[in-house]
Amino acid sequence: SAVISQKPSRDICQRGTSLTIQCQVDSQVTMMFWYRQQPGQSLTLIATANQGSEATYESGFVIDKFPISRPNLTFSTLTVSNMSPEDSSIYLCSVEDGGRPYEQYFGPGTRLTVT
Amino acid sequence: RKEVEQDPGPFNVPEGATVAFNCTYSNSASQSFFWYRQDCRKEPKLLMSVYSSGNEDGRFTAQLNRASQYISLLIRDSKLSDSATYLCVVNPRDDKIIFGKGTRLHILP
């Protein structure tokens, strides 16, 4: 399966600021996804990032708050904008890596704390 | 009814025992099913896909019951290293998968 890295692994940010999270994959993949996992909760899909087109956002998530870039088939960024303490969460990117459809592989996550 | 439901546990099971847990799903048109494992403070990792005929991988057996709309995971001869949260994942519609909240498993020495 693909090897996925994320930067930063963790950060503590002040409210009102923005943080950009990077996701790098060691092979070319078509579908990349961004998830949020709040404490004690399961994963919630934020958006699907496809190369060459705008990201597709899930209900409750908007581009102004979570802009996404996908400049090529191995890289994506998620920005958490104008942060508030409610944005404190783990943010994970994932990819579908061939094989069976919908099988996803995750990066190690970015643990964000907003103070 | 939630799209994907799991008993949150925790299941406290002695080492060597067999443990099973289920996951129910609401959309009868769902086509793909998976079990993921998530260790504390780590990312989820794919444990196994669940096929219509059921499938086995070593000590792990996954089964699908379409009539009752649930999938199950059976772990035999449990090891301490099996302690984790097990996430049920269902594909209820095109291009989307839904994660359950997970079942916590503690294997006791």
Side-chain angles (χ1 to χ4, degrees):
Chain A
S1 61
V3 175
I4 306 164
S5 60
Q6 282 185 238
K7 289 183 184 178
S9 58
R10 60 178 61 232
D11 208 341
I12 301 173
C13 301
Q14 291 189 340
R15 69 171 67 210
T17 62
S18 297
L19 176 71
T20 295
I21 302 167
Q22 299 179 7
C23 179
Q24 180 76 52
V25 189
D26 70 342
S27 58
Q28 294 185 339
V29 294
T30 302
M31 305 283 280
M32 292 182 78
F33 306 88
W34 286 98
Y35 287 85
R36 181 172 74 182
Q37 187 173 28
Q38 294 181 308
Q41 300 296 314
S42 191
L43 285 80
T44 301
L45 180 64
I46 297 172
T48 301
N50 298 316
Q51 195 266 338
S53 62
E54 284 203 4
T56 303
Y57 289 82
E58 296 301 300
S59 176
F61 298 97
V62 295
I63 188 171
D64 289 347
K65 175 68 175 177
F66 297 102
I68 287 172
S69 78
R70 181 81 198 273
N72 57 53
L73 292 175
T74 63
F75 187 78
S76 178
T77 67
L78 169 76
T79 298
V80 186
S81 303
N82 188 24
M83 288 184 283
S84 65
E86 293 71 35
D87 295 320
S88 297
S89 187
I90 299 172
Y91 292 85
L92 300 116
C93 68
S94 74
V95 304
E96 284 187 3
D97 185 27
R100 193 172 185 220
Y102 310 114
E103 285 186 357
Q104 293 187 12
Y105 299 87
F106 286 84
T110 296
R111 187 176 296 271
L112 171 63
T113 302
V114 183
T115 61
Chain B
R1 184 177 180 182
K2 292 182 181 177
E3 288 189 283
V4 180
E5 280 197 270
Q6 295 183 252
D7 182 340
F11 284 51
N12 297 308
V13 175
E15 190 175 10
T18 295
V19 60
F21 24 84
N22 292 339
C23 164
T24 59
Y25 61 94
S26 60
N27 188 332
S28 60
S30 300
Q31 293 297 317
S32 300
F33 309 88
F34 309 91
W35 284 104
Y36 280 72
R37 170 196 170 122
Q38 186 170 27
D39 292 287
C40 188
R41 304 177 79 84
K42 297 285 189 181
E43 74 275 19
K45 293 186 178 178
L46 180 65
L47 179 64
M48 57 198 305
S49 302
V50 186
Y51 301 114
S52 296
S53 56
N55 47 302
E56 187 174 309
D57 183 2
R59 298 182 292 110
F60 297 83
T61 299
Q63 293 200 312
L64 167 64
N65 185 316
R66 285 196 181 275
S68 301
Q69 293 182 208
Y70 73 85
I71 64 172
S72 63
L73 180 67
L74 179 82
I75 306 174
R76 290 181 298 278
D77 186 24
S78 54
K79 312 290 184 191
L80 295 176
S81 57
D82 294 332
S83 296
T85 297
Y86 291 84
L87 304 172
C88 166
V89 180
V90 176
N91 159 237
R93 54 190 181 276
D94 288 347
D95 297 332
K96 299 291 186 293
I97 61 173
I98 304 295
F99 284 78
K101 290 190 174 182
T103 297
R104 286 181 295 146
L105 174 64
H106 297 153
I107 304 300
L108 308 173

